[in-house]
Amino acid sequence: MIAPLLFLAGIAAAAVVDLESRQTAAQITTVDLAVNWGAPIRRASGILYGVPNTKNQIPSTFYTSIGFNYLSAGGAQFPAATGWIFGGYTSRFQNVLSNFQTARQFNAQFILKMSDLWGTDGTQGSNGVYPGANNDFVEYDAYLTQLVKDLKANGMTTNIKLLIWNEPDLSLFWAAPQAQYFATWSHAVKFLRANLPGVPIAGPAMSQAPSTSNTWWTGFLTRVKADNTAPDVYTWHHEAGSTDINNDLQTSQPAMVNMLNSFGLAIGEFVIDEYGNPSEQTPSGSAWWIARFERFNMSGLRGNWLSGANLQDFMAGLLWKSGSTYFANGEWQVYKYYAGSMTGFRVATTGSTDRLMDNFAVVGTNIVRILVGGRVVTGTYSLQIKNLSALGLPTAGTISVRTRQFSFAGTTGQEGDPTDLGLVAHTYTGNVLSFPIFQTDSATTWAFEFGF
Ligand SMILES: *[C@@H]1O[C@H](CO)[C@@H](O)[C@H](O)[C@H]1NC(C)=O
Ligand SMILES: *[C@@H]1O[C@H](CO)[C@@H](O)[C@H](O)[C@H]1NC(C)=O
């Protein structure tokens, strides 16, 4: 449940000025209306698993309203301890096919977690089998041959990216030597490029973000450079939570660019195929991630913290159901606003220098919309909107700002459209409008709108 909120209504301009003077850059998130960042990418609207095996079980409006555009799956835990290595490939493949078809129905890209289909989805336990032991790939080649055949037979060679192994840097998913993983990667890429030419390869899907001190990454890049097996799309995960400030695109995106440059590798597309840990899966946390993905022009797929049958339901924690009737929770409402209302062109933004408050801003037809989001944080922050004259507004005056509140009652709590808290008039000078964001709990977030 959320804490009661004292909000903007009633705050006098003088009080706002006093409050701002106490703010440091650590607590200010900015918008620069004079810098156009182009069309919104809406690429934070991807999900990991979350799609039922039964097609159309979740009504299509839940997908279309959030701009659903990326799905990753591979039949994990369907059921546990199955997949190729346990003689249970066929049912997992049928599940993959169903998920792929749902993705295609909404024109979403599909990332196939090939290691799920193999059977190493985290449920394999000590009976897990890993390709390439003693450099023996006979069984893996049999699997790859079957997979290629099935992908071709089912029209699964477009709208798809082949993710070779999920989180090899965790023993939960790869309980074999590191060198064996690098050899497996190389082997699989060569096999797939020979047998499915043109189908993009994604990876390495490390649980840890790229860093020059991480041997999984440096070893991987060394290997793919040496034998020309670099992925078409680089992927990694950001699920380590908010306490590590480097668990952030602001660190990992430039780190990846620098590492690819230093290894002499091409800089292609980057996808975060799992983002957000459970504490960040709130309206506020999701808005923070949205701001990051939009700033770095990257795609992101929400992490999924459900398990068992729930893993393949509820759109990775955006929905719940009563009986068989689905309903939206407060996070889904954020994605709906992001995809449906935040049209026009993006304008430049910066996050607070403590990295815990951010915003995504668009200029639409005679309206500015700004979605703010804090990363598991409370406290008073400030939103600073610069260069109002870029919209044809005077450099000083009064602007009435509407606030929409996105509440959260947990993953299983139904929420409707954000609450319209009404208009508050703010005076401004110097071409800059500032007002506070009272982050009294870590889950609720807000959108601010004003006309021009
Ligand atoms: C926007 O405003 C800032 C000051 O608030 C100024 O430094 C900057 O040059 C402005 N940008 C443009 C493109 O005018
Ligand atoms: C993202 O794309 C916009 C529009 O092309 C561009 O202006 C901006 O510099 C890009 N941001 C990054 C971090 O590359």
Side-chain angles (χ1 to χ4, degrees), residues 49-288:
Y49 308 121
V51 171
N53 192 49
T54 304
K55 285 200 219 74
N56 303 310
Q57 181 175 312
I58 295 176
S60 64
T61 177
F62 287 109
Y63 296 97
T64 55
S65 300
I66 67 155
F68 166 65
N69 54 28
Y70 244 118
L71 173 66
S72 181
Q77 302 183 23
F78 192 83
T82 60
W84 182 272
I85 58 175
F86 297 108
Y89 166 87
T90 306
S91 66
R92 283 202 177 183
F93 185 82
Q94 287 306 317
N95 175 242
V96 165
L97 174 60
S98 166
N99 274 205
F100 170 82
Q101 288 171 342
T102 297
R104 195 169 54 188
Q105 179 184 345
F106 298 105
N107 214 9
Q109 285 287 311
F110 185 75
I111 297 178
L112 173 57
K113 281 197 199 277
M114 287 169 48
S115 45
D116 285 356
L117 211 41
W118 170 258
T120 44
D121 61 353
T123 65
Q124 74 276 12
S126 57
N127 294 324
V129 175
Y130 301 87
N134 305 312
N135 212 30
D136 176 353
F137 287 101
V138 173
E139 191 63 27
Y140 197 48
D141 283 346
Y143 161 76
L144 293 173
T145 302
Q146 182 69 47
L147 177 60
V148 166
K149 184 171 166 244
D150 289 339
L151 294 176
K152 284 182 175 166
N154 290 286
M156 296 170 72
T157 57
T158 58
N159 274 52
I160 195 167
K161 295 181 171 74
L162 303 174
L163 193 153
I164 290 170
W165 208 274
N166 178 58
E167 298 190 338
D169 56 336
L170 294 186
S171 59
L172 178 65
F173 297 108
W174 182 268
Q178 192 185 52
Q180 188 181 325
Y181 162 71
F182 297 142
T184 296
W185 170 274
S186 174
H187 186 88
V189 171
K190 287 174 187 163
F191 188 102
L192 294 168
R193 290 211 167 121
N195 291 285
L196 284 174
V199 178
I201 307 286
M206 299 291 184
S207 73
Q208 297 295 309
S211 143
T212 53
S213 61
N214 180 321
T215 61
W216 285 94
W217 275 101
T218 53
F220 176 80
L221 294 178
T222 302
R223 178 72 186 229
V224 302
K225 176 64 182 176
D227 58 11
N228 196 27
T229 54
D232 301 286
V233 178
Y234 285 90
T235 75
W236 65 92
H237 299 171
H238 273 305
E239 295 186 314
S242 58
T243 49
D244 174 4
I245 62 158
N246 289 313
N247 178 41
D248 182 353
L249 301 185
Q250 191 169 313
T251 302
S252 68
Q253 193 270 0
M256 188 80 256
V257 169
N258 288 338
M259 286 173 76
L260 293 175
N261 282 334
S262 76
F263 279 85
L265 288 160
I267 296 163
E269 188 187 352
F270 301 161
V271 174
I272 303 303
D273 57 316
E274 301 188 17
Y275 78 85
N277 87 343
S279 67
E280 295 168 323
Q281 290 196 338
T282 64
S284 193
S286 290
W288 184 91

Side-chain angles (χ1 to χ4, degrees), residues 36-38 253 294-297 346:
N36 182 334
W37 272 354
Q253 193 270 0
E294 290 287 337
R295 177 169 309 120
F296 289 99
N297 302 312
R346 297 179 292 170

